[in-house]
Amino acid sequence: MALTYRRKPNQPPSQGDKRLRENRNKPPANVTSETGLPELLDHQRMAISVPDDSWLVMAGGRGGGKSWTLALLLVRDALRFGKSFRAALLRTDLAGLKKLQQLIEEFANQIPQLAGTRYLVGQKTFEFGNGGKLFLHYLKDENAFARFQGEDLSHLAIDEIAQISEPGPVLRLCSSLRSPDPAIKPRLICTGNPGNVGSLWLFENVISRATPWQPFHCELFNHSMVVCHSTVHDNSFLDVDGYVATLKASSNNDPAKILAEVWGDWSATPASFFGHALSEQRSKVPWIGAAIAGLREFSTRDLWLGMDFGVRAPSAVVLAYRTRTPIKLPDGRVIAPKSLILLDEYYSCLREKDGTRRWELGDATLTVQTLARAVEDLLARNGMSLKSIPQNHRIADAQIGAATGGMDGSIGHQLGRFGCKFAAGPKGSRATGWALMASLMANAGSELPGLYATERCEAFWATAPLAQHDTAKQDDLVLNADHCLDACRYLLMATADQRYSGSAGQTKFKVW
């Protein structure tokens, strides 16, 4: 049986037609010559055996055969459910989608019951010989949902789901998972590697909460899920040593990337931007607000605030102390003079019912007035007050004074009316700020000034390790929840700028 493309009469054969004719009697990779059916690895057999009532996440390192298993699962279910099979297969890049298309063609070629299957190029749709349909589409944002608006999908398959920066588009698509056939349990099936822009939300909501191969209830999707783990070491069809050497070379010997891509380590992924610099062992300290306030050299003029304002995106406020003399911690570590310690934070993000924090989504009920009160509460629980912090040490985005289009003026004006004045931060580039932050992170634990953060800075420790290199700008980072990092960046840039060390009346920047 061969797949055929729908083309106009008398139209010359396309490259796809030629390829299918050439591959008509050629079995796909990983098949036994005796049966002509795919030969499965142990972890692939286990993944395919997961019951339909659990959604499936195939996670791990590169080279584990996850995409191959995803394609096989779709063809298997097209065979099982016939006309009731209406599925969508999505990915964020064309090359990956075309590879999956070819895999599905090859698998269908081996199954007599799917004879007559064809791929409609213009519609990007498979019409299987038994009546099932599979739509192929690109998924980058919530606009992708438009194609499936009103569609009844029995299956939603997403390859490399961690390449999607936030869960919103996926949740929208899941709303189309329904089927009039009572024999079908609509299902999400996806693959994901650590080290991508969406690693944060996937790790926080799914990977970190699952025991591999055991069903668990995922609060984000409100459904039972199973996480299957595999790496290149589970794939006997590959030259493992050779492929591992290739992955290490492509990772430029970055230890965090190697842990992520070779070993599928989600906890290490994240450190790819600050991976060479940030270490919890060196930089994470117990809350020491009271100890700092009790220092003989302590002065409120060494306190700083950094703020990044948002509504749909979270607002972040960090309270920091810049040391004048060495501080000895209970565990024997010494924080050098001129170091910056992030003491505490306020972060306005949504929470799931089980308490999971959605670091990428802001609290839509937040107002400027409630933010001002939150800043006061942040200081009060640390035994401090807003009045004790110099106005030129309260640093916000340089755009804090920009008009918002409303009747109340800029965010700076509004905060000022509630007694919570902030100064416009330096206008240096993002890359400069990240470089300064990384340098201070790397200095932590040494005799040089470093950057430290207490255990109360939950947003910092949840997001900083997950920052990724921006592929378009290698000296910049990409993270859908970079708000706490932005607040820290504004603050660090100001501490390095002599203009913010004098009195507020002598500065050239605006205090709102």
Side-chain angles (χ1 to χ4, degrees):
M1 183 275 296
L3 293 167
T4 59
Y5 288 88
R6 176 176 291 172
R7 53 187 174 88
K8 298 177 182 178
N10 302 321
Q11 179 182 346
S14 68
Q15 291 300 314
D17 292 326
K18 293 177 182 177
R19 188 184 75 250
L20 287 172
R21 284 203 300 269
E22 292 169 358
N23 293 339
R24 182 172 298 173
N25 298 314
K26 178 183 176 182
N30 301 4
V31 300
T32 58
S33 57
E34 295 82 3
T35 65
L37 296 175
E39 180 181 349
L40 301 179
L41 298 165
D42 289 343
H43 70 275
Q44 292 172 327
R45 187 176 296 107
M46 292 169 65
I48 288 176
S49 300
V50 172
D52 291 347
D53 53 5
S54 286
W55 290 0
L56 185 62
V57 179
M58 291 177 279
R62 295 178 62 184
K66 300 183 294 297
S67 298
W68 192 91
T69 310
L70 178 68
L72 184 62
L73 266 168
L74 290 171
V75 174
R76 182 204 68 173
D77 284 357
L79 179 65
R80 290 171 64 198
F81 299 117
K83 293 182 179 180
S84 296
F85 179 81
R86 295 183 67 84
L89 172 59
L90 302 103
R91 189 172 163 131
T92 61
D93 64 287
L94 176 61
L97 200 62
K98 288 181 72 69
K99 180 181 176 182
L100 287 166
Q101 172 196 326
Q102 293 170 12
L103 276 174
I104 292 168
E105 290 172 353
E106 292 175 354
F107 289 144
N109 273 332
Q110 307 306 310
I111 303 175
Q113 295 92 328
L114 296 181
T117 296
R118 57 186 180 178
Y119 180 68
L120 312 182
V121 180
Q123 300 177 33
K124 293 186 177 62
T125 301
F126 275 104
E127 289 187 348
F128 292 100
N130 62 357
K133 282 192 174 184
L134 173 62
F135 310 104
L136 275 61
H137 196 56
Y138 311 116
L139 174 61
K140 291 194 175 182
D141 52 39
E142 293 192 27
N143 293 330
F145 177 72
R147 180 181 179 185
F148 305 104
Q149 184 78 43
E151 189 72 60
D152 291 341
L153 295 177
S154 62
H155 294 69
L156 174 61
I158 303 175
D159 194 34
E160 294 293 356
I161 192 172
Q163 291 180 356
I164 302 166
S165 63
E166 60 174 318
V170 180
L171 295 173
R172 286 288 288 163
L173 285 161
C174 286
S175 68
S176 288
L177 280 173
R178 52 184 178 263
S179 175
D181 187 342
I184 288 184
K185 296 177 180 178
R187 195 181 194 200
L188 170 67
I189 308 168
C190 54
T191 71
N193 288 332
N196 287 298
V197 66
S199 295
L200 172 60
W201 72 263
L202 191 62
F203 177 76
E204 287 285 324
N205 293 282
V206 182
I207 306 298
S208 65
R209 297 176 174 273
T211 299
W213 305 103
Q214 297 295 321
F216 79 103
H217 181 79
C218 177
E219 188 71 28
L220 177 65
F221 290 100
N222 193 27
H223 206 282
S224 172
M225 303 190 86
V226 171
V227 173
C228 307
H229 187 81
S230 65
T231 69
V232 61
H233 300 281
D234 300 307
N235 193 343
S236 58
F237 293 109
L238 292 177
D239 173 8
V240 175
D241 291 339
Y243 191 64
V244 167
T246 300
L247 288 178
K248 288 182 177 180
S250 68
S251 300
N252 197 27
N253 292 317
D254 182 333
K257 270 196 170 184
I258 291 172
L259 282 171
E261 298 199 352
V262 176
W263 300 102
D265 187 339
W266 286 81
S267 63
T269 318
S272 58
F273 189 87
F274 292 121
H276 65 290
L278 180 60
S279 165
E280 284 198 23
Q281 184 177 3
R282 290 185 291 104
S283 295
K284 195 170 189 177
V285 297
W287 181 74
I288 51 179
I292 287 176
L295 291 175
R296 185 177 59 184
E297 303 84 1
F298 174 78
S299 171
T300 55
R301 68 177 182 273
D302 295 320
L303 292 172
W304 292 76
L305 280 175
M307 181 186 71
D308 184 40
F309 179 81
V311 177
R312 178 176 173 81
S315 286
V317 181
V318 292
L319 169 64
Y321 176 73
R322 197 177 190 204
T323 62
R324 288 180 176 267
T325 58
I327 295 179
K328 188 172 182 179
L329 300 175
D331 60 9
R333 286 181 291 164
V334 176
I335 298 177
K338 296 185 179 180
S339 293
L340 200 74
I341 306 172
L342 306 180
L343 298 175
D344 204 347
E345 68 182 18
Y346 167 73
Y347 194 83
S348 64
C349 65
L350 290 180
R351 291 179 183 264
E352 300 290 351
K353 294 180 181 178
D354 64 351
T356 301
R357 300 184 72 175
R358 295 285 300 278
W359 303 108
E360 78 285 358
L361 289 181
D363 180 358
T365 65
L366 181 73
T367 65
V368 175
Q369 183 176 8
T370 55
L371 176 60
R373 299 296 172 262
V375 172
E376 291 179 355
D377 292 342
L378 166 66
L379 293 166
R381 69 172 177 254
N382 287 276
M384 303 164 188
S385 66
L386 188 60
K387 292 181 179 179
S388 64
I389 301 180
Q391 291 185 7
N392 51 315
H393 283 193
R394 309 174 199 168
I395 311 300
D397 185 352
Q399 297 299 314
I400 189 174
T404 60
M407 298 295 292
D408 295 331
S410 69
I411 298 300
H413 276 116
Q414 295 177 55
L415 284 169
R417 282 202 295 272
F418 293 110
C420 192
K421 293 180 177 291
F422 275 82
K427 294 185 178 181
S429 69
R430 284 170 57 89
T432 301
W434 300 139
L436 175 59
M437 188 180 295
S439 175
L440 291 172
M441 287 176 176
N443 290 344
S446 73
E447 296 178 356
L448 298 173
L451 177 65
Y452 300 83
T454 73
E455 55 200 12
R456 288 192 176 186
C457 299
E458 295 181 13
F460 177 85
W461 288 113
T463 58
L466 290 169
Q468 303 295 314
H469 286 280
D470 188 337
T471 55
K473 299 177 181 178
Q474 282 297 307
D475 56 357
D476 199 356
L477 63 77
V478 57
L479 181 67
N480 198 43
D482 60 359
H483 319 291
C484 185
L485 294 180
D486 279 335
C488 294
R489 177 168 57 86
Y490 305 148
L491 190 156
L492 288 174
M493 293 286 283
T495 61
D497 190 327
Q498 291 298 321
R499 296 178 303 160
Y500 292 83
S501 299
S503 62
Q506 298 173 348
T507 62
K508 295 182 180 180
F509 54 82
K510 178 73 173 179
V511 177
W512 298 94

